[in-house]
Amino acid sequence: MTHHANHDQRTIPVERSLAGETIVITGASSGIGLATARGLIAAGANVVLGARDSERLTRLGDELGATAVAVPTDVRSEDDVRLLVAAGVAHFGRVDSIVLAAGIGLYGGVEDHDDAEIRRMVDTNVLGTVWGVREVLAEFRRNRGGDIVIVASVAGLRGGAHEAVYAATKFAQIGLAGAIDRQLRPEGIRVTAIAPAGTNTGFALGTGRVAGDPSLADLLAPEDVALQIVTVLRQPRRMRTTLWASWSMAEGS
């Protein structure tokens, strides 16, 4: 007689479909935001693109077609962010997720930048994230759930001597993500902080990085980080990823 062992019948979870969902993206005209927009459209989603460069943003909206709407947005302005989210509801009927990818970075110690540069970095990275979170909550509550994805950095896990104020803004984003996860999870709202290490974007060009430097090719690609973002959005609703840090194989942690 042949005896068969009892095997666990559970299978790998089926990813959620993003087809027809509407996702707002800040910082959408370049880098991680742009790569995320392309990845989400490939997954069947509608995207609402926000960025300061209105000319570039308009070209991108035209290129991506009917499933994209472009809204010039300076995330330092709560009114701009409000209009960005409202555009998603007006064009597509609802907003299901927001990806807060707008950010700027300057290498240097705490004394190395003038007052205006410091304020621009703090207002963009910290207040720009807060305004995005605050603006989507009413819509997510109407929908009984949603996703907030905050693009932070490993600099928000351990600050380097050459990135003092930038690191402070990224610690702020990760702290915000943890706090709102604890606040909003009972309402079905998931919060993820994505914390990539160095990524080959326009980040800090001229203020610590040099365009064309061959070492930039050793960093993460923006598409790598976009893959993380799409992955957390496609997770089954019973689970959430609160913090996802990543490095390229060439970079130490």
Side-chain angles (χ1 to χ4, degrees):
M1 180 181 294
T2 302
H3 295 278
H4 297 281
N6 289 326
H7 295 288
D8 192 332
Q9 297 300 309
R10 290 176 297 180
T11 58
I12 295 173
V14 176
E15 292 180 325
R16 292 179 59 248
S17 171
L18 298 178
E21 293 202 356
T22 299
I23 300 161
V24 172
I25 307 168
T26 67
S29 65
S30 62
I32 292 168
L34 174 56
T36 299
R38 295 190 191 282
L40 289 170
I41 286 179
N46 305 312
V47 294
V48 186
L49 311 170
R52 286 178 301 163
D53 188 335
S54 57
E55 184 177 335
R56 186 171 184 176
L57 195 65
T58 300
R59 289 199 307 270
L60 178 61
D62 292 342
E63 174 196 333
L64 295 178
T67 57
V69 59
V71 183
T73 304
D74 185 336
V75 297
R76 295 174 294 178
S77 163
E78 53 268 54
D79 288 337
D80 275 16
V81 176
R82 188 173 299 121
L83 292 171
L84 176 66
V85 174
V89 177
H91 280 78
F92 301 115
R94 59 184 282 150
V95 167
D96 299 282
S97 301
I98 189 166
V99 177
L100 298 163
I104 57 175
L106 303 169
Y107 285 123
V110 72
E111 300 171 289
D112 288 342
H113 305 296
D114 66 32
D115 296 354
E117 289 174 320
I118 294 290
R119 187 174 300 280
R120 182 168 65 96
M121 186 158 49
V122 172
D123 286 354
T124 300
N125 297 359
V126 181
L127 282 181
T129 304
V130 171
W131 300 145
V133 169
R134 284 165 59 94
E135 195 51 46
V136 295
L137 291 187
E139 173 68 7
F140 286 2
R141 285 168 174 148
R142 277 193 294 271
N143 299 339
R144 302 188 179 219
D147 275 274
I148 297 168
V149 180
I150 296 172
V151 180
S153 167
V154 294
L157 304 175
R158 49 107 188 98
H162 64 299
E163 56 187 17
V165 178
Y166 174 72
T169 69
K170 294 298 166 174
F171 268 86
Q173 286 182 308
I174 288 175
L176 176 68
I180 60 176
D181 167 68
R182 296 177 186 95
Q183 174 192 347
L184 300 173
R185 178 184 57 80
E187 300 180 67
I189 298 172
R190 301 190 297 190
V191 182
T192 301
I194 300 288
T199 307
N200 188 5
T201 66
F203 173 87
L205 288 178
T207 57
R209 290 185 183 176
V210 178
D213 183 344
S215 68
L216 295 178
D218 288 334
L219 303 180
L220 293 168
E223 291 77 15
D224 299 330
V225 185
L227 175 63
Q228 294 177 270
I229 294 167
V230 174
T231 298
V232 299
L233 293 175
R234 296 184 72 167
Q235 290 175 131
R237 279 287 173 197
R238 65 177 174 271
M239 67 178 291
R240 73 200 199 279
T241 296
T242 56
L243 174 64
W244 188 348
S246 57
W247 288 260
S248 74
M249 290 295 285
E251 187 173 10
S253 59

